[in-house]
Amino acid sequence: SANTTLKITMSSLAGFTTGDFMKVRLIVSSEALLSTAAGDFSVASASLYSDIYKNDRLKGLTVVPVSVTFPTREGKSVYEARCARCHTLVQSDSAVTPSLYRKTDQVAERLKQTHHTVTLTSGELENLIAYLTAYFSGQRVF
């Protein structure tokens, strides 16, 4: 509910061109923030340069928020839909239900290819890893 400002300074030796994208990651600490959308953000000002050292400012380009994603929440959905029936998140393994507890690096490696008929897109895998990392570090995931 508070009006807040996020200032980001970016630079690139190669400059920026149409189609370049930047991703800002938001760790949601309140369930109320899950209704946040790209339209809730505005860009107060943006200066884009093709070569900042030559002060070559790009004209006619704008910065527009296009989407807001919640990787940990989306990763939780991936886990629940695709992994939970075979794997738990508890600390101990069993022969019937192997645990993913603290095995985030192994999950990333195994799911680069199909695993038990489960194939994930790179985005789904990234979100799943974000969820597992948050979960195992004790963060509350909504």
Side-chain angles (χ1 to χ4, degrees), residues 53-111:
Y53 298 108
K54 293 180 183 175
N55 204 21
D56 268 344
R57 198 171 178 160
L58 294 172
K59 306 235 188 299
L61 293 180
T62 57
V63 176
V64 179
V66 293
S67 68
V68 175
T69 61
F70 301 96
T72 55
R73 185 173 197 207
E74 292 169 19
K76 181 179 182 182
S77 295
V78 170
Y79 168 75
E80 290 170 348
R82 313 286 291 282
C83 307
R85 71 179 172 275
C86 297
H87 298 282
T88 68
L89 299 178
V90 298
Q91 193 165 352
S92 59
D93 274 323
S94 81
V96 178
T97 56
S99 174
L100 299 180
Y101 185 77
R102 304 266 186 220
K103 297 179 183 173
T104 306
D105 55 335
Q106 293 174 26
V107 170
E109 190 58 37
R110 286 235 172 125
L111 283 171

Side-chain angles (χ1 to χ4, degrees), residues 23-29 33-34 36 41 68-72:
K23 190 184 295 186
V24 177
R25 187 169 182 202
L26 170 67
I27 304 297
V28 178
S29 59
L33 290 175
L34 293 175
T36 305
F41 295 89
V68 175
T69 61
F70 301 96
T72 55

Side-chain angles (χ1 to χ4, degrees), residues 1 4-5 7 9-10 15 22 26-28 50 56 60 64 71 82 84 91 112 116 125 128 133 139 141:
S1 64
T4 58
T5 302
K7 293 183 181 186
T9 302
M10 295 179 10
M22 177 184 73
L26 170 67
I27 304 297
V28 178
S50 61
D56 268 344
V64 179
R82 313 286 291 282
Q91 193 165 352
K112 285 181 181 176
H116 294 292
L125 180 57
L128 176 62
T133 301
Q139 293 178 33
V141 178

